[in-house]
Coordinates of all heavy atoms in Angstrom, one line a residue:
M1 N 65.9 -53.7 47.8 CA 65.5 -53.7 46.5 C 64.0 -53.2 46.3 O 63.6 -52.6 45.5 CB 65.7 -55.0 45.8 CG 67.0 -55.0 45.0 SD 66.9 -56.2 43.7 CE 68.5 -56.1 43.0
A2 N 63.3 -53.6 47.4 CA 61.8 -53.3 47.4 C 61.6 -51.8 47.6 O 60.5 -51.3 47.4 CB 61.1 -54.1 48.3
T3 N 62.6 -51.0 48.2 CA 62.4 -49.7 48.5 C 62.4 -48.7 47.3 O 62.0 -47.6 47.3 CB 63.5 -49.2 49.5 OG1 64.7 -49.6 49.0 CG2 63.2 -49.9 50.9
R4 N 63.0 -49.3 46.2 CA 63.2 -48.4 45.0 C 61.9 -47.9 44.4 O 61.7 -46.7 44.1 CB 64.1 -49.1 44.0 CG 65.5 -48.6 44.0 CD 66.3 -49.0 42.9 NE 67.7 -48.6 43.1 CZ 68.8 -49.0 42.3 NH1 68.5 -49.9 41.3 NH2 69.9 -48.6 42.4
P5 N 61.0 -48.9 44.1 CA 59.7 -48.4 43.5 C 58.8 -47.5 44.4 O 58.2 -46.7 43.9 CB 58.9 -49.7 43.1 CG 59.7 -50.8 43.8 CD 61.0 -50.3 44.1
S6 N 58.9 -47.6 45.7 CA 58.2 -46.8 46.6 C 58.8 -45.4 46.6 O 58.0 -44.4 46.9 CB 58.2 -47.4 48.0 OG 59.4 -47.1 48.7
K7 N 60.0 -45.2 46.3 CA 60.6 -43.9 46.3 C 60.0 -43.1 45.0 O 59.8 -41.9 45.2 CB 62.1 -44.0 46.1 CG 62.9 -43.0 46.9 CD 64.3 -43.3 46.7 CE 65.1 -42.3 47.6 NZ 66.6 -42.5 47.5
V8 N 59.8 -43.8 43.9 CA 59.2 -43.2 42.7 C 57.7 -42.7 43.0 O 57.3 -41.6 42.6 CB 59.3 -44.1 41.5 CG1 58.5 -43.5 40.4 CG2 60.7 -44.4 41.2
H9 N 57.1 -43.6 43.8 CA 55.6 -43.2 44.1 C 55.5 -42.0 45.0 O 54.6 -41.2 44.9 CB 55.0 -44.4 44.8 CG 53.6 -44.2 45.2 ND1 52.6 -44.3 44.3 CD2 53.0 -44.0 46.3 CE1 51.5 -44.1 44.9 NE2 51.7 -43.9 46.1
Y10 N 56.5 -41.8 45.9 CA 56.5 -40.6 46.8 C 56.7 -39.3 46.0 O 56.1 -38.3 46.3 CB 57.6 -40.8 47.8 CG 57.8 -39.6 48.7 CD1 57.0 -39.3 49.7 CD2 59.0 -38.8 48.5 CE1 57.2 -38.2 50.5 CE2 59.1 -37.7 49.2 CZ 58.3 -37.4 50.3 OH 58.5 -36.3 51.0
L11 N 57.5 -39.4 45.0 CA 57.8 -38.2 44.2 C 56.6 -37.7 43.5 O 56.3 -36.6 43.4 CB 58.9 -38.6 43.2 CG 60.1 -37.6 43.2 CD1 61.4 -38.4 43.1 CD2 60.0 -36.7 41.9
S12 N 55.7 -38.7 42.9 CA 54.6 -38.2 42.1 C 53.5 -37.7 43.1 O 52.7 -36.8 42.7 CB 54.1 -39.4 41.3 OG 53.4 -40.4 42.2
S13 N 53.5 -38.2 44.3 CA 52.4 -37.8 45.3 C 52.7 -36.4 45.8 O 51.9 -35.6 46.2 CB 52.3 -38.7 46.5 OG 53.3 -38.6 47.4
S14 N 54.0 -36.0 45.8 CA 54.4 -34.6 46.3 C 54.1 -33.6 45.3 O 53.8 -32.5 45.6 CB 55.9 -34.6 46.7 OG 56.6 -34.4 45.4
S15 N 54.0 -33.9 44.0 CA 53.7 -32.9 43.0 C 52.2 -32.6 43.0 O 51.8 -31.6 42.6 CB 54.1 -33.5 41.6 OG 53.2 -34.4 41.1
S16 N 51.4 -33.6 43.4 CA 50.0 -33.4 43.5 C 49.5 -32.6 44.7 O 48.6 -31.9 44.6 CB 49.2 -34.8 43.5 OG 49.2 -35.3 44.8
S17 N 50.4 -32.6 45.7 CA 50.1 -31.8 46.9 C 50.4 -30.3 46.7 O 49.9 -29.4 47.3 CB 50.9 -32.3 48.2 OG 52.2 -31.9 48.0
S18 N 51.3 -30.1 45.7 CA 51.7 -28.6 45.4 C 50.5 -28.0 44.7 O 50.3 -26.7 44.8 CB 53.0 -28.6 44.5 OG 52.6 -28.8 43.2
S19 N 49.7 -28.7 43.9 CA 48.6 -28.1 43.2 C 47.5 -27.9 44.3 O 46.6 -27.1 44.0 CB 48.1 -29.1 42.1 OG 47.4 -30.2 42.7
D20 N 47.5 -28.6 45.4 CA 46.5 -28.3 46.4 C 46.7 -26.9 47.1 O 45.7 -26.2 47.3 CB 46.7 -29.3 47.6 CG 45.6 -30.4 47.5 OD1 44.8 -30.4 46.6 OD2 45.7 -31.4 48.3
S21 N 48.0 -26.5 47.2 CA 48.2 -25.2 47.7 C 47.9 -24.1 46.7 O 47.6 -22.9 47.1 CB 49.7 -25.0 48.2 OG 50.5 -25.1 47.0
D22 N 47.8 -24.4 45.5 CA 47.5 -23.4 44.5 C 45.9 -23.0 44.6 O 45.6 -21.9 44.5 CB 47.6 -24.1 43.1 CG 48.9 -23.6 42.4 OD1 49.7 -23.0 43.1 OD2 49.2 -24.0 41.3
T23 N 45.1 -23.9 45.0 CA 43.7 -23.6 45.1 C 43.4 -22.8 46.4 O 42.6 -22.0 46.4 CB 42.8 -24.9 45.3 OG1 43.7 -26.0 45.7 CG2 42.3 -25.2 43.9
S24 N 44.2 -23.0 47.4 CA 44.1 -22.2 48.6 C 44.5 -20.8 48.5 O 43.9 -19.9 49.1 CB 44.9 -22.9 49.8 OG 46.2 -22.7 49.7
T25 N 45.5 -20.5 47.7 CA 45.9 -19.2 47.5 C 44.9 -18.4 46.6 O 44.7 -17.2 46.8 CB 47.3 -19.1 46.8 OG1 47.3 -20.0 45.7 CG2 48.4 -19.4 47.7
S26 N 44.3 -19.0 45.7 CA 43.3 -18.4 44.8 C 42.1 -18.0 45.6 O 41.4 -17.1 45.3 CB 43.0 -19.2 43.6 OG 42.3 -20.3 43.9
S27 N 41.7 -18.8 46.6 CA 40.5 -18.6 47.3 C 40.7 -17.5 48.4 O 39.8 -16.7 48.7 CB 40.0 -19.9 48.1 OG 40.9 -20.1 49.2
S28 N 42.0 -17.4 48.8 CA 42.3 -16.2 49.8 C 42.2 -14.9 49.0 O 42.0 -13.8 49.6 CB 43.6 -16.5 50.5 OG 44.7 -16.2 49.5
R29 N 42.6 -15.0 47.8 CA 42.6 -13.7 46.9 C 41.2 -13.2 46.7 O 40.9 -12.1 46.6 CB 43.3 -14.0 45.6 CG 44.0 -12.7 45.0 CD 44.5 -12.9 43.6 NE 43.9 -12.2 42.6 CZ 43.8 -12.5 41.4 NH1 44.2 -13.6 41.0 NH2 43.1 -11.7 40.5
Y30 N 40.3 -14.2 46.6 CA 38.9 -13.9 46.3 C 38.3 -13.2 47.5 O 37.5 -12.2 47.4 CB 38.1 -15.1 46.0 CG 36.7 -14.9 45.8 CD1 36.2 -14.4 44.6 CD2 35.7 -15.2 46.8 CE1 34.8 -14.2 44.4 CE2 34.4 -15.0 46.6 CZ 33.9 -14.5 45.4 OH 32.6 -14.4 45.3
S31 N 38.6 -13.6 48.8 CA 38.1 -13.0 49.9 C 38.6 -11.6 50.1 O 38.0 -10.8 50.7 CB 38.4 -13.9 51.2 OG 39.8 -13.9 51.4
M32 N 39.9 -11.3 49.6 CA 40.5 -10.0 49.7 C 39.7 -9.0 48.8 O 39.5 -7.9 49.2 CB 41.9 -10.1 49.3 CG 42.9 -9.7 50.4 SD 44.6 -9.8 49.9 CE 44.7 -8.2 49.1
D33 N 39.2 -9.5 47.7 CA 38.5 -8.6 46.8 C 37.2 -8.1 47.4 O 36.8 -7.0 47.2 CB 38.1 -9.4 45.6 CG 39.3 -9.3 44.5 OD1 40.3 -8.6 44.8 OD2 39.2 -10.0 43.5
S34 N 36.5 -9.0 48.2 CA 35.2 -8.6 48.7 C 35.4 -7.6 49.9 O 34.5 -6.9 50.2 CB 34.5 -9.9 49.2 OG 35.2 -10.5 50.2
V35 N 36.6 -7.6 50.5 CA 36.8 -6.7 51.6 C 37.0 -5.3 51.0 O 36.6 -4.3 51.6 CB 38.0 -7.1 52.4 CG1 38.5 -6.0 53.4 CG2 37.8 -8.4 53.2
V36 N 37.7 -5.2 49.9 CA 38.0 -3.9 49.3 C 36.7 -3.1 48.8 O 36.7 -2.0 48.7 CB 38.9 -4.1 48.0 CG1 39.1 -2.8 47.3 CG2 40.3 -4.6 48.6
R37 N 35.7 -4.0 48.5 CA 34.5 -3.4 47.9 C 33.9 -2.3 48.9 O 33.7 -2.7 50.0 CB 33.4 -4.5 47.6 CG 33.4 -4.9 46.2 CD 32.4 -6.0 46.0 NE 31.2 -5.6 45.5 CZ 30.2 -6.4 45.2 NH1 30.4 -7.7 45.3 NH2 29.1 -5.9 44.7
P38 N 33.5 -1.2 48.4 CA 32.9 -0.2 49.3 C 31.5 -0.6 49.8 O 30.8 -1.4 49.1 CB 32.7 1.0 48.4 CG 32.7 0.5 46.9 CD 33.6 -0.8 47.0
V39 N 31.1 -0.1 50.9 CA 29.8 -0.5 51.5 C 28.7 0.1 50.7 O 27.6 -0.6 50.4 CB 29.7 -0.1 53.0 CG1 28.4 -0.5 53.6 CG2 30.9 -0.6 53.7
A40 N 28.8 1.4 50.4 CA 27.7 2.1 49.6 C 28.1 2.1 48.2 O 29.0 2.7 47.8 CB 27.5 3.5 50.1
S41 N 27.2 1.5 47.4 CA 27.5 1.5 45.9 C 26.4 2.4 45.2 O 25.3 2.5 45.6 CB 27.3 0.0 45.3 OG 26.2 -0.5 45.6
V42 N 26.8 2.9 44.1 CA 25.9 3.8 43.4 C 24.9 3.0 42.5 O 25.4 2.1 41.8 CB 26.7 4.8 42.5 CG1 25.8 5.6 41.7 CG2 27.6 5.7 43.3
E43 N 23.7 3.3 42.6 CA 22.7 2.5 41.8 C 21.9 3.6 41.0 O 21.7 4.7 41.3 CB 21.7 1.8 42.8 CG 22.2 0.5 43.3 CD 21.3 -0.1 44.3 OE1 20.1 -0.5 43.8 OE2 21.6 -0.2 45.4
V44 N 21.5 3.1 39.8 CA 20.6 4.0 39.0 C 19.2 3.4 39.0 O 19.0 2.2 38.6 CB 21.1 4.0 37.5 CG1 20.2 4.8 36.7 CG2 22.5 4.6 37.5
L45 N 18.3 4.2 39.6 CA 16.9 3.7 39.6 C 16.2 4.3 38.4 O 16.2 5.5 38.1 CB 16.2 4.2 40.9 CG 17.0 4.0 42.2 CD1 16.2 4.6 43.4 CD2 17.3 2.5 42.4
R46 N 15.5 3.4 37.6 CA 14.8 3.9 36.4 C 13.3 3.7 36.6 O 12.9 2.6 36.9 CB 15.3 3.1 35.2 CG 14.7 3.5 33.9 CD 15.5 3.1 32.7 NE 16.7 3.9 32.6 CZ 17.5 3.8 31.6 NH1 17.2 3.1 30.6 NH2 18.6 4.5 31.6
C47 N 12.7 4.7 36.3 CA 11.1 4.6 36.4 C 10.6 3.6 35.3 O 11.1 3.7 34.1 CB 10.5 5.9 36.2 SG 8.7 5.9 36.1
L48 N 9.8 2.7 35.7 CA 9.3 1.7 34.8 C 8.4 2.3 33.7 O 8.3 1.7 32.6 CB 8.5 0.6 35.6 CG 8.1 -0.7 34.9 CD1 9.3 -1.5 34.5 CD2 7.1 -1.4 35.7
R49 N 7.8 3.4 34.0 CA 6.7 3.9 33.1 C 7.3 5.0 32.1 O 7.1 4.9 31.0 CB 5.6 4.6 33.9 CG 4.3 4.7 33.2 CD 3.1 4.8 34.1 NE 1.9 5.1 33.3 CZ 1.5 6.2 32.9 NH1 2.2 7.3 33.2 NH2 0.4 6.4 32.3
C50 N 8.0 6.0 32.7 CA 8.6 7.1 31.9 C 10.1 7.0 31.6 O 10.6 7.8 30.9 CB 8.2 8.4 32.4 SG 9.1 8.8 33.9
A51 N 10.8 5.9 32.1 CA 12.2 5.7 32.0 C 13.0 6.8 32.5 O 14.2 7.0 32.1 CB 12.5 5.4 30.5
R52 N 12.5 7.7 33.4 CA 13.3 8.7 34.1 C 14.3 8.0 35.0 O 13.8 7.1 35.8 CB 12.4 9.6 34.9 CG 13.1 10.9 35.3 CD 12.1 11.8 35.9 NE 11.7 11.5 37.2 CZ 12.2 12.1 38.4 NH1 13.0 13.2 38.3 NH2 11.8 11.8 39.6
S53 N 15.5 8.3 35.0 CA 16.5 7.7 35.8 C 17.1 8.6 36.9 O 17.3 9.7 36.6 CB 17.6 7.0 35.0 OG 18.3 8.0 34.3
V54 N 17.3 8.0 38.1 CA 17.8 8.8 39.2 C 18.9 8.0 39.8 O 18.8 6.8 40.0 CB 16.7 9.0 40.3 CG1 17.3 9.6 41.5 CG2 15.6 10.0 39.8
E55 N 20.1 8.8 40.0 CA 21.2 8.2 40.6 C 21.1 8.2 42.2 O 20.8 9.2 42.7 CB 22.5 8.8 40.2 CG 23.3 8.0 39.3 CD 24.6 8.6 38.9 OE1 25.3 9.2 39.8 OE2 25.0 8.5 37.7
T56 N 21.4 7.1 42.8 CA 21.2 7.0 44.3 C 22.2 6.0 44.7 O 22.8 5.2 44.0 CB 19.8 6.6 44.7 OG1 19.8 6.7 46.1 CG2 19.5 5.2 44.2
T57 N 22.5 6.1 46.1 CA 23.4 5.1 46.6 C 22.6 4.1 47.3 O 21.4 4.3 47.7 CB 24.4 5.8 47.6 OG1 23.7 6.5 48.6 CG2 25.4 6.7 46.9
S58 N 23.2 2.9 47.6 CA 22.5 1.8 48.2 C 22.1 2.1 49.6 O 21.2 1.5 50.2 CB 23.4 0.5 48.2 OG 24.6 0.8 48.9
T59 N 22.7 3.1 50.3 CA 22.4 3.5 51.6 C 21.2 4.5 51.6 O 20.7 4.8 52.7 CB 23.6 4.1 52.4 OG1 24.1 5.1 51.6 CG2 24.6 3.0 52.7
D60 N 21.0 5.1 50.5 CA 19.9 6.1 50.4 C 18.6 5.5 50.3 O 18.4 4.4 49.8 CB 20.1 7.0 49.2 CG 20.9 8.2 49.5 OD1 21.1 8.6 50.7 OD2 21.3 9.0 48.6
D61 N 17.5 6.2 50.8 CA 16.2 5.7 50.7 C 15.7 6.2 49.3 O 15.8 7.3 49.0 CB 15.3 6.3 51.8 CG 13.9 5.7 51.8 OD1 13.8 4.6 51.2 OD2 13.0 6.2 52.5
P62 N 15.2 5.3 48.5 CA 14.7 5.6 47.1 C 13.7 6.7 47.1 O 13.6 7.5 46.3 CB 14.1 4.3 46.6 CG 14.8 3.3 47.3 CD 15.1 3.8 48.7
S63 N 12.8 6.8 48.2 CA 11.7 7.7 48.3 C 12.3 9.2 48.5 O 11.6 10.1 48.1 CB 10.7 7.4 49.4 OG 11.4 7.4 50.7
S64 N 13.5 9.3 49.0 CA 14.1 10.6 49.2 C 14.5 11.2 47.8 O 14.8 12.4 47.7 CB 15.3 10.6 50.1 OG 16.3 9.9 49.6
Q65 N 14.7 10.3 46.8 CA 15.1 10.7 45.5 C 13.8 10.9 44.6 O 14.0 11.0 43.4 CB 16.0 9.7 44.8 CG 17.2 9.4 45.7 CD 18.2 10.5 45.7 OE1 18.4 11.2 44.7 NE2 18.8 10.8 46.8
G66 N 12.6 10.8 45.2 CA 11.4 10.9 44.4 C 11.0 9.7 43.7 O 10.3 9.7 42.7
M67 N 11.5 8.5 44.1 CA 11.3 7.2 43.5 C 10.4 6.4 44.4 O 10.7 6.4 45.6 CB 12.5 6.5 43.1 CG 13.4 7.3 42.1 SD 12.5 7.7 40.5 CE 12.8 6.1 39.7
V68 N 9.5 5.6 43.9 CA 8.7 4.8 44.7 C 9.0 3.3 44.3 O 8.9 3.0 43.1 CB 7.2 5.0 44.5 CG1 6.4 4.1 45.4 CG2 6.9 6.5 44.8
R69 N 9.3 2.5 45.3 CA 9.7 1.2 45.0 C 8.4 0.3 44.9 O 7.6 0.3 45.9 CB 10.6 0.7 46.1 CG 11.2 -0.8 45.8 CD 12.1 -1.3 47.0 NE 12.4 -2.7 46.8 CZ 13.4 -3.2 47.1 NH1 14.4 -2.6 47.8 NH2 13.7 -4.4 46.9
I70 N 8.2 -0.4 43.9 CA 7.1 -1.2 43.7 C 7.4 -2.7 43.7 O 6.6 -3.6 43.6 CB 6.3 -0.8 42.4 CG1 7.2 -1.0 41.2 CG2 5.7 0.6 42.6 CD1 6.3 -0.9 39.9
G71 N 8.7 -3.0 43.5 CA 9.2 -4.5 43.6 C 10.7 -4.5 43.6 O 11.3 -3.5 43.8
T72 N 11.1 -5.7 43.5 CA 12.6 -5.9 43.4 C 13.2 -5.3 42.2 O 13.0 -5.7 41.1 CB 12.9 -7.4 43.5 OG1 12.2 -8.0 44.5 CG2 14.4 -7.5 43.8
N73 N 14.0 -4.1 42.4 CA 14.6 -3.4 41.3 C 13.6 -2.8 40.4 O 14.0 -2.6 39.2 CB 15.7 -4.3 40.6 CG 16.8 -4.6 41.4 OD1 17.3 -3.8 42.3 ND2 17.4 -5.8 41.3
I74 N 12.4 -2.6 40.8 CA 11.4 -2.0 40.0 C 10.9 -0.7 40.7 O 10.5 -0.7 41.8 CB 10.2 -2.9 39.7 CG1 10.7 -4.2 39.1 CG2 9.2 -2.3 38.7 CD1 9.6 -5.3 39.0
Y75 N 11.0 0.4 40.0 CA 10.6 1.7 40.6 C 9.8 2.5 39.7 O 9.8 2.4 38.5 CB 11.9 2.5 40.9 CG 12.8 1.9 41.9 CD1 13.8 1.0 41.5 CD2 12.7 2.0 43.3 CE1 14.6 0.4 42.4 CE2 13.6 1.4 44.2 CZ 14.5 0.5 43.7 OH 15.4 0.0 44.6
Y76 N 8.9 3.3 40.3 CA 8.2 4.4 39.6 C 8.6 5.7 40.2 O 9.0 5.8 41.3 CB 6.7 4.3 39.9 CG 5.9 3.3 39.0 CD1 4.9 2.6 39.6 CD2 6.2 3.1 37.7 CE1 4.1 1.7 38.8 CE2 5.6 2.2 36.9 CZ 4.5 1.5 37.5 OH 3.8 0.6 36.7
C77 N 8.7 6.8 39.3 CA 8.9 8.1 39.9 C 7.6 8.6 40.6 O 6.5 7.9 40.4 CB 9.3 9.1 38.8 SG 8.0 9.5 37.6
N78 N 7.7 9.6 41.3 CA 6.5 10.1 42.1 C 5.4 10.4 41.2 O 4.2 10.1 41.5 CB 6.9 11.4 42.9 CG 7.4 11.0 44.3 OD1 7.1 9.9 44.8 ND2 8.2 11.9 44.9
R79 N 5.6 11.0 40.0 CA 4.5 11.4 39.1 C 3.8 10.1 38.5 O 2.6 10.1 38.6 CB 5.1 12.2 37.9 CG 5.2 13.6 38.2 CD 5.7 14.4 37.0 NE 4.8 14.2 35.9 CZ 5.1 14.7 34.7 NH1 6.1 15.4 34.5 NH2 4.2 14.5 33.6
C80 N 4.6 9.1 38.1 CA 4.0 7.9 37.6 C 3.3 7.1 38.7 O 2.3 6.4 38.4 CB 5.0 7.1 36.8 SG 5.7 7.9 35.4
A81 N 3.9 7.1 39.9 CA 3.3 6.4 41.0 C 1.9 7.0 41.3 O 1.0 6.2 41.6 CB 4.2 6.5 42.2
K82 N 1.8 8.3 41.1 CA 0.4 8.9 41.4 C -0.5 8.5 40.3 O -1.7 8.2 40.6 CB 0.6 10.4 41.5 CG 0.7 11.0 42.9 CD 0.7 12.5 42.8 CE 1.0 13.0 44.2 NZ 1.5 14.5 44.1
M83 N 0.0 8.5 39.0 CA -0.9 8.2 37.9 C -1.4 6.8 38.0 O -2.6 6.6 37.7 CB -0.1 8.4 36.6 CG -0.1 9.8 36.2 SD 0.9 10.0 34.7 CE 0.2 11.4 33.9
V84 N -0.5 5.9 38.4 CA -0.9 4.5 38.4 C -1.8 4.2 39.6 O -2.5 3.2 39.7 CB 0.3 3.6 38.3 CG1 0.0 2.1 38.3 CG2 1.1 3.9 37.0
G85 N -1.6 5.0 40.7 CA -2.4 4.8 41.9 C -1.5 4.1 43.0 O -2.1 3.5 43.8
Y86 N -0.2 4.3 42.8 CA 0.6 3.6 43.9 C 0.8 4.5 45.1 O 1.5 4.1 46.0 CB 2.0 3.2 43.3 CG 2.1 1.7 43.2 CD1 1.9 1.1 42.0 CD2 2.5 1.0 44.3 CE1 2.0 -0.3 41.8 CE2 2.6 -0.4 44.2 CZ 2.4 -1.0 43.0 OH 2.6 -2.3 42.8
K87 N 0.3 5.8 45.0 CA 0.6 6.8 46.1 C -0.7 7.4 46.6 O -1.6 7.6 45.7 CB 1.6 7.8 45.7 CG 2.7 7.7 46.6 CD 3.7 8.9 46.4 CE 4.6 9.0 47.5 NZ 5.5 10.2 47.4
Ligands
ZN1 ZN1 8.0 7.9 35.8

């Protein structure tokens, strides 16, 4: 007679373990997304002074596109860099 209530308790604990597997599948899907991402991404560098924009890839050197990097995600074009005295 004492085994009956424990059987009901086992049923409810098995349903909570199924939600545990749900979280593991969603985390494995997230890691797959990061693998698909390309290594070189296209970035648009915009001059802070004259707003001239240049398209480049993350593997390219900004200076080869005529842009001078003055800070994190902040660029001057060659002309403005000369005017401000960055070159
Ligand atoms: Zn400029």
Side-chain angles (χ1 to χ4, degrees):
M1 263 209 184
T3 49
R4 258 191 186 173
S6 77
K7 220 175 184 182
V8 171
H9 181 78
Y10 170 77
L11 232 136
S12 72
S13 78
S14 81
S15 79
S16 80
S17 76
S18 84
S19 73
D20 260 358
S21 64
D22 262 6
T23 25
S24 70
T25 47
S26 71
S27 73
S28 73
R29 207 185 119 208
Y30 178 78
S31 64
M32 246 180 80
D33 276 351
S34 58
V35 171
V36 171
R37 260 178 100 175
V39 181
S41 59
V42 176
E43 281 177 64
V44 175
L45 311 179
R46 178 161 294 191
C47 174
L48 187 71
R49 201 162 176 273
C50 68
R52 192 173 80 106
S53 60
V54 169
E55 249 185 42
T56 182
T57 56
S58 56
T59 52
D60 265 351
D61 191 12
S63 60
S64 70
Q65 305 287 321
M67 300 299 280
V68 181
R69 186 183 171 148
I70 59 168
T72 311
N73 291 324
I74 306 171
Y75 298 89
Y76 277 146
C77 68
N78 267 338
R79 275 183 58 183
C80 293
K82 261 183 191 167
M83 275 178 156
V84 182
Y86 250 99
K87 239 190 166 184

